[in-house]
Each structure stands twice: as C-alpha cells, then as structure tokens.
Amino acid sequence: MSIRVRIERRLEVSPQTQILAILLSLFLSFVVIAVIFSFLGVEPLNAYRRIFLGGFGSIYGLSESITKAIPLLLAGAGLALSFKARVYNIGAEGQILMGAVVGGGIGLFLPNLPRSLLLPLMFLGGFLGGAVWGLIPAFLKTRFRVDEVLTSLMLVYIASDLVRYLVYGPWRGPEQRGFPYSSPFSLSAQLPHLGTTRIHYPTLILAILLAVTVYIMLFYTKFGYEIRVVGENPSAGRYAGMSVERVVLFVLVLSGGLAGLAGVGEVAGIHARLGPPEGISPGYGFTAIIVAWLARLNPLLTMISAFFMGGLLVGGDAIQTALNLPSATIFVFNGVILFFIIAAEYLTNYRIKVEAVR
Amino acid sequence: MSEVPAAVLMKGITKRFAGVVANSAVDLEVKKGEIHALLGENGAGKTTLMNILYGIYRPDEGEIYINGEKAHIHSPKDAIKLGIGMVHQQFRLVQTHTVVENVILGTGNGVTFNEEEVRQKIVELAQRYSLAINPDARIWQLSAGEQQRVEILKALYRGAKILILDEPTSMLTPLEIKELLQTLRRMTEEGNTIIFITHKLDEVTAVSHRVTILRQGKVTAVLETAKTHKTELANLMVGREVLFRLEKQPLERGAAVLRVEGLEALNDKGLVAVQDVTFSVYRGEILGIAGVAGNGQRELLEVIAGLRPANKGKIFIQDREATYASIRERIGMGLSYVPGERMTALVPNMSIAENMILKSYRKSPICKGLFIDRQVMLDLAKRLIQEYEVVTPGPDKPVKLLSGGNIQRALMARELSQEVDVLVVAYPTSGLDVGAIETIWKILLSQRSLGKATLLVSDDLEEILTLSDRVAVMHNGEIMGIVEAKEENIEKIGLMMAGALKIDREQWV
C-alpha cells in the first residue's frame, strides 16, 4: 500500500475553483509567515490578531487601509490590464514616482493657479509622466523586442534616482534646512481629505471609477477584446489584422498612466511636498503586482484585493512597532503571498489527486 | 493447450469529461503479436481509450488485463512496467538534445549513466527493427519521420512489448509511411504487439490484422481486416454512406478575382521560398495547388494573406492592388484565409462565441460604437454552431474543448460567414475523419457555386482532384504548370510534383 500523487490537467476551471485557489494561497502564505514569526520569537496568532486589528479593527485602521488602498488600486487595475495582454509591466513603482515628479512639479511651479484648475492639471501631468515611463519599455519591446520585464524594472531605479536628484538638488526647498524635501505645496495643490482621516477622496473616487472603466473596457469593448485575443494568442490577433504592437503600447502607456495618477495622489494627498522616493511610495508599485494577481487579473476585483493588501500594509506597520519587528517584515509578507498566488495559478489549471494504491 | 491470453484486454471502459462521454463501455481485445487498428472519426474516443491504457487518464469504470492479468495502471510509469509504450501524435522530445539523450530521458534512477552502453543498445535496437537513425543527431535536425523513429526507439528501449501509435502517419511523407508500415510488420515478427490509432482506411487495410471501430465513444465492430473492405469500414466508422464522389457543376469562367504576378517571397530562414509565381483565380472556380508540403505553399499563402511581405511581384484582389495592403485591408477587400495550422486562427482559451467574431468584431452589428454587443455575438455563434453542425455543449465553452473536426467546422463557419470573395484554404481536411472531410468538401463546393473564388492548397491529390477546376503544381517555390483537374492529368501532375516536368506558360490552362 502506498500513497500516490497524480497531476491531471483540468479542462475547465470553475469560478469556485478560482476562489478556492485564492483563499488557499492566502492561507498557505499565512502558515509560512507564521513559521517566520516563530523564528523571530513572536507568537504567530498574536501577530495575526494584531495585524488584523491594526488594519481592520478600528475606524482609524480602516481609514488608513483605505488610504493605502488608493495607490494600490490605481496601479493594480492598470497592471491587471497589462498582465491580461501578457505584457509584464513590473515597473509600476517607477511610474508612480514619475507621476509624482510631473504632477508634483506642476503643483510646485504653478502654486497660484485656482485649485479647480491646478489639481486636474497635476493629475493630467502625473498621468503623462507615468505613461511616458510605460512608453519607453513599450517602444523598446515593439521596436527592438527587448523584454519589458527588464526595462520596466530598470526604469524604477532611474525614476528613483531622478526623484532623489531633484529633492537633494534643484527642487530642494530653501526653507528645508538641508533636508531632502521640496517646499510645501500651496493649498490649491493639495487634495481634500475625508474628515480627519488621510483619505484623499478625490483620488479614491477617481481610482474606483477607473477600475470600473478598465473592467468595462476589457470585457465589453472591441479594444478590450483585442487585448484579450493578443494576450491569449498573438498569432490569432495578427491573423485577424490586429496590431499586436498597438496593444503592447496601449497597455503599457495606460498602466503607466494609472500608476502615475497614484503618484500624484500620494504627493498631493498625503505628503503635500516631494521627498525621497521611499517616502513617496514605499513599494506600492510592487505590492500592486500582488493586487492584480490576487484579483486574478479582474480589474473589478482589484478593489477588494487593494483594500486587503492596504490593510495588510497598515497591520504590518502596526506590528513592527508593537512587536519590535524589523521593517522588512512586510516585504517578506508580500513575497510569500505572491509566491503562493503564482503557485495557485498552476493549481487552478491542474488537478492534484492523492490516492492510495495497492 | 490453454489459449494464449490476449496482450491487452480492456473491459467495459467508460470515461467522462465535463459532461461528455468520451468512452462508453468500450471493450478492446488485442491479441499477442498482431497489429490491431483502432479506427474512428475524430472525437470518437480512440485517443482517450489509449490514454487510459497508457495511464494518462483513469477510467471511470472498467477493467484492464495485460497478458491475462488484471492491471492497475495509474500512470505511464505503471504502463511502461507492464511493457506498454506509446508514441503520441505530437512528439514529446527535447529539441536541443541528441537522440541518445532523449531516449534515456526519464529512465534509470542514478545521476550518471554510461552513454556508450546506451548508444550501443540504441544502435542494436535500431538495426534490429531497421529504424535508420543517427544516435548523435539533435532532434531539431531530424525530419518528422526520423523524430517518430526516436519515439519508437524510446518505447523499445524501455522494454515495450505492446506499442501504441497515435495517428502515426499524419506527419509523414508517403515514403516515410511505407517505411513505418514495414517497421511495424518487422516488430510483430519479433513478437511485439501493435495498436495503431488511425482514421485512414488505406492504412487499416494495408497493415492491420484486425480492426476495432469506434463511433461516438462506442465500439461498432471488431473485424478481421482480411475479411472486410474499405466501404464497409467507412460505413461502420461514420454510420452512413460516404459520398466520395461529389457533384460539381461545370464551370463558366468569370472574372479574375485574385491575381498574382511574378511573386517572390522568403521563408523564415531568409531563403527564397516562392519564386516568380503567377496565376489567377476566377469567380466561381477552385484553383488547387498541388505539391509536396514544404515547397513554398505556406509562404505563398502567407504572402497573399498579408502575413509575410512580398519580395517582388504584385497581388490584385478584384483588380485592386493589394501587394502592400495590411491584413485588415485585405480582409476588407473580401479575402479570407483558413490556415493549415488552425490554432493560429483561433484563440483556444476563449469561448466559441468570442472566436466567431474574430473577423467581424470591428463592424456592426457585432460592434456598436466602442462596445461589443454580446447578445448579437451569442446569437451569431448559436446560428453558426447549428448551421455548420459544430458539436459542443454551448457557445460559451472554450474552443480548446472541441475535437479536431469541430474546430475546423467552427473555423470554416466563421470565415464563410464574412463577406468573402476570395477564399484561401490550406490543408482543410488534414487530420480530419471521413465524415468531417465530406462536410468540409461540401462546404467548399457550395462556396464555389455561390461564385466565390477559392485557392486551395493541399497535399492530398484526391482532395485536389475532387474539388478543383484547375490544378497548379508547386515545386521548389515555382509553379511547374497549370492543368485541368482531370483524372487523365494525374501522371503529369505527379511528374510536376517531383520536379521532372515543367510546362511552358503558354500551355497553361
């Protein structure tokens, strides 16, 4: 008598299987992270309780989770679109920063425009900043067949150093006494908040509207149809007279632009000035990759996954101080979750059977 | 003396997939040392049955006996232990590895192996069964026939006594087919048993001792090949009379709809694959292009479809020059292309309905403004599924779930539902069973009577002669001549295919 494990390909994947796969991958991530907590001398259940309470257990926690979900949603919805076309834009982090630079720059240098003009202008500029940062890998991919994974990632570091150069150099505010920050934005360059929270609601509304728009575009318009066809089978797309290049260009520019909007939201809604890149975006662009996959590349579901990951970030911050954990803990979290989600992607396409044989 | 137990005995095998019954209480008995043909249409359940025998699938019901003993086959490993080997339709070889490396892949438990010993054994096996192969060649350097020999060697090396071959001739040239059939006979002389999956009647009568016929997942007959004939086999396979002779109305030559002048094009390796090709296809006619596959037919069609640039020459559709037109413009001009590799024109993971609009999604009524009207799309798909008799549980099911014949029906349905003037079709029935071939042929002839111009590329001469009005023969990238599609021209066509005859252009019809 022995136990045998067999792998069979599934012909069809039901929605139930997909949901089960997500829940299972999250559960397994938590199991692995629990082991890590134990090594760090922290009681895992206690840590999870604190994370949950930190992110979702109070009005303040919830409001912070929503605040962090805003950039994750903007960037994540765009990435879902890009990944759906099998274009692997992993440089949303850099696109967020470029959005912050262009949008923030407009806010810095046109401080006296009326708010109703300045804020839209900043968002527009931020979109363009992020879009250009997506356009570069798109151009290199369509023209020279350079892998977008490499170029979009490398551009993160260029954007990051550009921000650093600006805030340490030409854009440093004279009143900052040597600290790497720009001057504060004028009031008309700052986003309003919901009550006493940090939720900059115009960006939140924009993010929700855009996630819905991206969803509708992807599944109900002819251009979304082209994106899905090209993503599933580029040769069929070419055969039908679709321009694969145009799809690549479009999804990289749009996902870059949406990430750029997130950058504007951060500087105009949270910091009210430009600062070092780690301050503007503590890895939102990378966490957004998880947001997209966790939503199984469905832009509507990114609303849920962004909120969930936002809560995890807030809860992670809470335990870092409360339990005296290293600040990298949350990145370990991210990595483990992404690992299991990608593994679940495999599991939903195959069936694993464990059986006893004689 | 007790009777020798059957090499393979499968009893009451039933297998269901997502609501579809692939095998229903199938019995199969294969005697030791025989070549047993498993005959059936595409989707009849032949491959499923053999995948069960080889341990890739588990049956939902039924029992398997190997050499009289009940067998529990849970994986190919179990099957191999029982002396069963399988050569799949799509070869499973590592392209960049050598023959030797591929043969030993997955055998043994150690980390190292004695390559010299293995090579010796492979050479011995190859000689014994006259499977000519260079053991040090890399797979990508080998032809389809040679790759198949590697697959057979792989099975023999693992000690297979019962060899399953899934549609072994579909990728081979006529000469290679002949060699394969000889090898199979040789193998049975050595006491091996062969199960041969096919839908080609010629091969059944040429090589098998007995034949089991499957239709829609059930066994319709088990016959001794010597005591049957092709007509009976065809009837048992499709369950109705097959009309191999189709009525074709005589042609009155209309206007030239597709014209090609002095066309030259390169293949993927940058070598000239099409040179100085000139012909016209007229309204209401089918121009067949005969030739051995790989003589520039594919490149020619891709240039016409706009997937490959022309080096020299001109293309006209309805008297408008299309040489530099984009694919989309050509579709707009009324050109439809059904490629030989069907999956390059379909999206396997998307639904049948979404595949049905691949050409028409830009236009009304499918497209309203920016949006795709899903209701119109579903209605269209339902209509086409019915009209072209595509067997599927529903229009929302992914195309990858369809069988080969249904995939081709769905593809033809989409292409012919467009406003088409010129139909360019490559290998429309390759890999299809008799029933599907007949439907596809009828569809093509009905397009002809509707006045459409069809360019048909095929390596099946019977298909070309049945359907075409004229036959152009392609050899080495050139048109060797164009003759009328008549039985008395067969010899000329054969000579041109072999490159032994070139007809002066003045004498082309």
Side-chain angles (χ1 to χ4, degrees):
Chain A
M1 184 95 174
S2 67
I3 300 292
R4 198 189 289 264
V5 179
R6 294 162 33 79
I7 298 176
E8 272 187 9
R9 202 180 165 81
R10 284 177 210 267
L11 286 171
E12 272 185 287
V13 183
S14 66
Q16 293 93 307
T17 315
Q18 301 211 20
I19 292 166
L20 196 73
I22 293 172
L23 294 180
L24 191 70
S25 56
L26 285 177
F27 174 74
L28 289 175
S29 315
F30 289 147
V31 171
V32 169
I33 296 160
V35 175
I36 297 171
F37 277 141
S38 307
F39 275 119
L40 291 167
V42 175
E43 213 271 295
L45 285 180
N46 180 35
Y48 282 131
R49 195 178 54 88
R50 280 168 184 265
I51 289 173
F52 182 78
L53 290 178
F56 308 104
S58 64
I59 298 293
Y60 171 75
L62 279 173
S63 80
E64 276 299 286
S65 300
I66 292 171
T67 308
K68 287 191 191 287
I70 295 171
L72 294 178
L73 176 54
L74 275 166
L79 291 185
L81 177 80
S82 176
F83 296 160
K84 199 80 190 171
R86 301 245 169 110
V87 173
Y88 294 108
N89 175 12
I90 56 164
E93 183 76 0
Q95 292 141 17
I96 289 174
L97 292 174
M98 290 313 290
V101 165
V102 179
I106 292 170
L108 271 182
F109 291 104
L110 300 168
N112 300 323
L113 282 182
R115 195 183 208 185
S116 57
L117 187 63
L118 185 55
L119 284 174
L121 207 60
M122 288 168 70
F123 274 117
L124 185 69
F127 182 90
L128 291 176
V132 167
W133 231 235
L135 186 65
I136 298 169
F139 173 78
L140 292 171
K141 183 179 171 72
T142 52
R143 207 31 86 76
F144 304 111
R145 295 189 188 180
V146 186
D147 194 322
E148 75 278 10
V149 172
L150 288 174
T151 50
S152 63
L153 180 62
M154 289 193 289
L155 281 166
V156 172
Y157 301 102
I158 297 175
S160 184
D161 279 334
L162 179 69
V163 173
R164 218 167 273 132
Y165 163 75
L166 289 173
V167 295
Y168 277 96
W171 286 11
R172 173 148 61 184
E175 71 290 339
Q176 298 291 342
R177 280 183 267 136
F179 286 105
Y181 292 106
S182 74
S183 300
F185 292 171
S186 68
L187 273 181
S188 50
Q190 292 185 34
L191 287 161
H193 294 127
L194 198 66
T196 56
T197 68
R198 298 204 298 163
I199 301 173
H200 38 109
Y201 61 86
T203 327
L204 178 62
I205 294 168
L206 188 68
I208 291 172
L209 285 179
L210 285 171
V212 174
T213 309
V214 168
Y215 172 80
I216 292 172
M217 191 199 66
L218 189 55
F219 289 102
Y220 293 93
T221 70
K222 64 175 171 181
F223 201 62
Y225 176 76
E226 288 188 1
I227 291 172
R228 287 181 294 129
V229 168
V230 167
E232 287 287 349
N233 186 0
S235 63
R238 205 168 288 125
Y239 159 86
M242 296 175 187
S243 163
V244 176
E245 288 74 22
R246 199 167 69 126
V247 168
V248 171
L249 219 68
F250 178 82
V251 298
L252 271 166
V253 164
L254 192 70
S255 60
L258 292 187
L261 293 178
V264 179
E266 290 309 290
V267 291
I270 306 287
H271 307 290
R273 62 183 179 185
L274 282 169
E278 306 78 29
I280 296 172
S281 171
Y284 290 138
F286 296 120
T287 307
I289 298 172
I290 305 170
V291 167
W293 282 111
L294 201 52
R296 299 199 70 84
L297 307 186
N298 181 330
L300 270 192
L301 295 183
T302 54
M303 290 198 253
I304 299 169
S305 60
F307 176 63
F308 175 77
M309 289 307 296
L312 221 51
L313 293 182
V314 173
D317 281 346
I319 59 162
Q320 271 170 36
T321 41
L323 301 175
N324 201 15
L325 286 169
S327 62
T329 312
I330 203 68
F331 294 115
V332 176
F333 243 91
N334 280 353
V336 172
I337 293 176
L338 185 61
F339 177 84
F340 277 103
I341 291 171
I342 303 289
E345 183 72 15
Y346 177 83
L347 283 176
T348 51
N349 287 322
Y350 294 84
R351 183 198 310 274
I352 294 189
K353 277 188 180 170
V354 182
E355 56 203 24
V357 285
R358 273 187 299 154
Chain B
M1 191 189 102
S2 67
E3 207 177 311
V4 183
V8 174
L9 181 61
M10 298 177 87
K11 268 171 121 177
I13 302 289
T14 296
K15 176 78 187 172
R16 300 177 196 89
F17 289 109
V20 180
V21 182
N23 287 149
S24 164
V26 171
D27 293 333
L28 174 72
E29 188 194 14
V30 182
K31 292 179 184 158
K32 208 166 199 156
E34 76 170 346
I35 299 182
H36 195 101
L38 199 54
L39 179 71
E41 293 188 293
N42 284 298
K46 309 178 296 265
T47 304
T48 305
L49 187 67
M50 286 304 105
N51 279 341
I52 289 171
L53 180 58
Y54 194 56
I56 293 171
Y57 297 138
R58 296 287 307 276
D60 296 328
E61 289 157 34
E63 291 172 340
I64 301 171
Y65 298 84
I66 303 296
N67 299 322
E69 285 193 36
K70 186 161 182 184
H72 299 276
I73 306 174
H74 299 287
S75 71
K77 238 180 191 165
D78 291 346
I80 290 164
K81 265 189 230 150
L82 290 165
I84 303 170
M86 182 159 178
V87 176
H88 299 273
Q89 204 171 354
Q90 260 92 35
F91 303 141
R92 295 173 183 192
L93 299 168
V94 184
Q95 291 290 316
T96 51
H97 283 188
T98 64
V99 173
V100 172
E101 286 165 343
N102 269 281
V103 170
I104 56 141
L105 188 68
T107 63
N109 299 313
V111 185
T112 58
F113 60 92
N114 185 341
E115 193 173 331
E116 203 34 62
E117 212 173 275
V118 175
R119 176 186 291 109
Q120 206 48 51
K121 199 174 163 196
I122 291 170
V123 170
E124 272 172 36
L125 278 173
Q127 268 170 1
R128 193 157 124 213
Y129 295 105
S130 46
L131 291 158
I133 197 85
N134 169 10
D136 299 311
R138 295 189 183 275
I139 300 301
W140 59 265
Q141 298 168 319
L142 303 179
S143 71
E146 290 171 311
Q147 294 191 21
Q148 187 177 57
R149 281 176 222 154
V150 180
E151 285 281 15
I152 295 174
L153 277 174
K154 246 169 82 178
L156 293 173
Y157 183 83
R158 285 161 173 70
K161 286 282 174 194
I162 302 163
L163 193 64
I164 306 163
L165 297 149
D166 190 356
E167 305 267 357
T169 58
S170 60
M171 316 265 281
L172 305 186
T173 64
L175 185 67
E176 284 174 327
I177 292 175
K178 227 172 152 184
E179 286 172 359
L180 172 71
L181 298 185
Q182 264 162 15
T183 304
L184 298 186
R185 286 191 199 103
R186 180 96 195 78
M187 286 171 71
T188 52
E189 281 162 21
E190 298 268 337
N192 294 301
T193 306
I194 311 266
I195 305 175
F196 188 107
I197 303 180
T198 187
H199 56 250
K200 291 184 184 153
L201 306 175
D202 291 336
E203 289 164 9
V204 174
T205 51
V207 77
S208 72
H209 301 108
R210 293 197 311 142
V211 50
T212 294
I213 302 151
L214 281 179
R215 186 167 79 222
Q216 291 171 349
K218 291 181 190 142
V219 175
T220 52
V222 183
L223 301 169
E224 280 185 39
T225 315
K227 292 181 185 162
T228 182
H229 48 83
K230 281 189 213 169
T231 321
E232 185 185 20
L233 289 173
N235 286 344
L236 287 165
M237 188 164 124
V238 297
R240 63 191 137 87
E241 287 290 326
V242 181
L243 303 170
F244 275 109
R245 287 281 140 222
L246 294 170
E247 282 303 309
K248 198 164 65 181
Q249 298 303 315
L251 168 83
E252 261 179 68
R253 180 170 286 187
V257 185
L258 173 69
R259 220 165 80 227
V260 164
E261 281 175 11
L263 212 58
E264 183 180 301
L266 305 180
N267 62 16
D268 292 339
K269 289 173 187 148
L271 305 169
V272 175
V274 175
Q275 43 184 329
D276 195 24
V277 166
T278 300
F279 61 78
S280 296
V281 191
Y282 300 96
R283 224 183 94 76
E285 90 156 344
I286 296 178
L287 174 66
I289 295 193
V292 178
N295 272 286
Q297 296 98 321
R298 188 176 130 206
E299 287 82 359
L300 172 65
L301 297 196
E302 286 180 353
V303 174
I304 294 172
L307 289 157
R308 186 180 289 275
N311 240 7
K312 280 184 202 157
K314 286 185 170 127
I315 300 164
F316 296 91
I317 299 171
Q318 303 273 33
D319 281 329
R320 284 166 63 199
E321 185 167 356
T323 319
Y324 304 104
S326 69
I327 298 169
R328 225 177 125 170
E329 284 164 341
R330 288 176 216 227
I331 294 170
M333 288 163 135
L335 178 82
S336 167
Y337 172 43
V338 180
E341 298 92 7
R342 281 157 214 155
M343 280 309 179
T344 63
L346 292 164
V347 190
N349 281 330
M350 283 168 73
S351 71
I352 296 167
E354 290 193 300
N355 271 281
M356 286 300 112
I357 63 166
L358 192 66
K359 288 285 182 67
S360 54
Y361 74 96
R362 299 184 186 91
K363 295 178 302 195
S364 175
I366 301 293
C367 189
K368 301 224 162 73
L370 289 172
F371 292 91
I372 285 178
D373 190 325
R374 297 186 76 86
Q375 196 52 52
V376 175
M377 174 179 90
L378 280 173
D379 290 345
L380 171 79
K382 278 183 200 150
R383 203 192 70 201
L384 292 178
I385 285 171
Q386 206 176 18
E387 207 172 305
Y388 288 85
E389 293 166 14
V390 181
V391 180
T392 166
D396 54 337
K397 291 280 178 276
V399 161
K400 68 174 173 191
L401 293 182
L402 297 180
S403 71
N406 283 312
I407 285 173
Q408 182 70 326
R409 268 183 218 137
L411 179 54
M412 295 289 266
R414 180 185 73 207
E415 290 308 308
L416 299 176
S417 62
Q418 320 297 322
E419 283 161 26
V420 173
D421 296 313
V422 192
L423 190 58
V424 177
V425 190
Y427 311 103
T429 57
S430 81
L432 301 193
D433 54 70
V434 184
I437 289 173
E438 198 194 341
T439 336
I440 300 293
W441 283 4
K442 279 186 173 162
I443 291 172
L444 288 172
L445 285 179
S446 74
Q447 294 301 307
R448 174 181 177 271
S449 49
L450 287 173
K452 300 194 170 154
T454 304
L455 181 64
L456 166 74
V457 167
S458 177
D459 48 8
D460 178 350
L461 209 51
E462 193 188 338
E463 177 166 78
I464 295 262
L465 288 172
T466 308
L467 299 177
S468 314
D469 298 289
R470 293 181 300 144
V471 182
V473 183
M474 217 168 161
H475 171 78
N476 212 1
E478 283 181 273
I479 300 285
M480 305 299 280
I482 302 179
V483 295
E484 278 187 72
K486 284 185 183 157
E487 297 285 335
E488 56 259 39
N489 283 330
I490 285 186
E491 205 185 318
K492 271 190 198 164
I493 292 170
L495 287 171
M496 289 192 282
M497 279 169 72
L501 172 70
K502 193 169 180 182
I503 301 177
D504 277 341
R505 205 162 279 190
E506 289 77 46
Q507 290 167 26
W508 291 6
V509 292

